[in-house]
Amino acid sequence: TLWQKYEAKKTIRADIRKKAGLWMFFDNKSKRGNSKLEAVSMLQQKYRGMEIRFISTDGGVIKGMPADKIRFDHGALKARSLGIQITPAIVLVAPPEKMGIIAHGAMSLSDLEEKIVTASIDMKIADPKLAQTAKMNERGMINRSDWEAAGITGNESTEELADKIYKILGNKMGE
């Protein structure tokens, strides 16, 4: 199960780079901007082709940002319109109109990757079957109706009970 979830999330991240990009809002005064830049840069190297824009809310820049990817949000009007109150902040953007704030402050690459997957699923831009697999632990446990539908009586042998439980799990996982 863990391997299936891992593979589904990996595929979602690889697929998202074709459908969405990231906006990193920052201000030159924030010390956390450099660590966020590092995580975003590593993400960009790992998922080549993902569009990333660096958006300065105070007109400053952070050393190491590619000049052609920097935009300026004078007065932080766009940031405020999105509900951003703290920088640095990362927004997942799926044109033409889907946007979601996925991170504020410093964050590791693995945490950022996890947030991208969650946002992709919530924004309904991830493949639904992959989303179902990636979030299989959120689909609930075996409940009484599953138990009854499988015809479990309590009189089964260990092997029969195991077979019925595997069948219930297979149904829950869409297999």
Side-chain angles (χ1 to χ4, degrees):
T1 301
L2 291 175
W3 179 83
Q4 286 178 316
K5 284 176 53 178
Y6 172 81
E7 287 297 314
K9 289 178 179 184
K10 184 172 124 182
T11 304
I12 288 170
R13 285 189 298 270
D15 187 47
I16 285 305
R17 70 179 175 199
K18 301 171 202 157
K19 299 177 182 178
L22 296 177
W23 288 353
M24 178 182 151
F25 286 86
F26 69 95
D27 65 64
N28 201 33
K29 296 172 243 154
S30 173
K31 295 184 187 325
R32 293 181 298 243
N34 286 327
S35 62
K36 184 70 81 181
L37 174 61
E38 288 175 31
V40 170
S41 295
M42 288 188 289
L43 185 78
Q44 191 171 32
Q45 289 173 357
K46 192 171 181 179
Y47 300 102
R48 299 225 182 263
M50 177 176 269
E51 279 295 318
I52 298 178
R53 297 284 185 257
F54 301 98
I55 304 172
S56 174
T57 59
D58 68 353
V61 297
I62 297 174
K63 185 178 177 182
M65 287 184 170
D68 64 326
K69 302 293 182 184
I70 298 173
R71 304 293 185 268
F72 297 94
D73 182 17
H74 300 287
L77 298 175
K78 185 65 175 177
R80 280 200 299 273
S81 75
L82 293 172
I84 295 170
Q85 298 173 6
I86 301 169
T87 59
I90 304 286
V91 177
L92 183 66
V93 180
E97 59 196 37
K98 293 185 179 186
M99 295 182 187
I101 299 171
I102 61 171
H104 283 100
M107 182 171 290
S108 70
L109 176 61
S110 62
D111 287 342
L112 186 56
E113 288 176 318
E114 191 64 32
K115 298 268 188 187
I116 289 170
V117 169
T118 300
S120 300
I121 292 169
D122 292 347
M123 292 166 63
K124 299 190 182 339
I125 55 176
D127 177 278
K129 186 138 180 85
L130 290 172
Q132 184 179 23
T133 302
K135 296 186 101 177
M136 71 173 62
N137 62 318
E138 296 176 23
R139 287 186 275 170
M141 303 300 279
I142 296 174
N143 59 36
R144 186 173 201 69
S145 63
D146 297 325
W147 201 259
E148 291 167 356
I152 296 174
T153 63
N155 297 321
E156 293 84 5
S157 69
T158 304
E159 292 82 18
E160 291 170 324
L161 182 59
D163 287 342
K164 288 181 178 182
I165 290 173
Y166 284 128
K167 186 173 184 177
I168 292 170
L169 293 173
N171 289 338
K172 284 188 168 285
M173 292 173 52
E175 296 176 354

